[in-house]
Amino acid sequence: MAEEFSIEVVYGTSQKQKIITVQVDDETTVFDAAVKSGIDREFPEIEFESQAMGIFGKRVAKPKVQRVQKGQRIELYRPLLIDPKQARANRAAKKARDEE
């Protein structure tokens, strides 16, 4: 018989963040845990099939294959609004203009 344990599923926007604790077993995949959490009821924009997912800040390449482990935090990632390199370049350019 599979052992049951708790994991967390998290998602957030700039206005709202949510952490949901879910009981799963060692056969549960990252994808299944996210779906089981029901977090899409709080955030209707979540589309599990195309949603980027990770564990403790590291993206999971195959969420339908990778199994969860006790105590893990499954993270659902929003698409980036701007490339981080471009954001840094924009800040550097602004700082240079401000110093002139």
Side-chain angles (χ1 to χ4, degrees):
M1 185 167 172
E3 173 192 353
E4 286 215 349
F5 51 87
S6 296
I7 56 105
E8 293 179 332
V9 176
V10 301
Y11 184 78
T13 65
S14 59
Q15 291 82 29
K16 178 173 148 181
Q17 297 78 43
K18 187 76 173 177
I19 300 173
I20 298 176
T21 302
V22 181
Q23 287 295 118
V24 297
D25 62 38
D26 54 5
E27 298 293 316
T28 305
T29 66
V30 171
F31 180 87
D32 294 336
V35 171
K36 185 175 181 179
S37 75
I39 201 161
D40 58 326
R41 289 190 291 273
E42 293 280 332
F43 302 94
E45 68 271 18
I46 293 175
E47 294 182 17
F48 292 115
E49 288 296 327
S50 60
Q51 191 73 43
M53 299 180 189
I55 298 173
F56 293 124
K58 294 193 178 199
R59 189 173 175 146
V60 172
K62 297 180 180 181
K64 289 186 176 183
V65 175
Q66 185 165 335
R67 294 192 176 143
V68 296
Q69 296 178 8
K70 186 176 184 176
Q72 286 184 326
R73 183 183 67 221
I74 309 305
E75 300 163 341
L76 307 180
Y77 302 126
R78 293 178 290 143
L80 294 176
L81 299 176
I82 185 170
D83 176 37
K85 290 180 184 178
Q86 185 61 50
R88 283 191 296 276
N90 292 350
R91 285 192 304 273
K94 182 181 182 311
K95 184 176 179 183
R97 282 193 309 271
D98 291 346
E99 291 176 354
E100 290 178 352

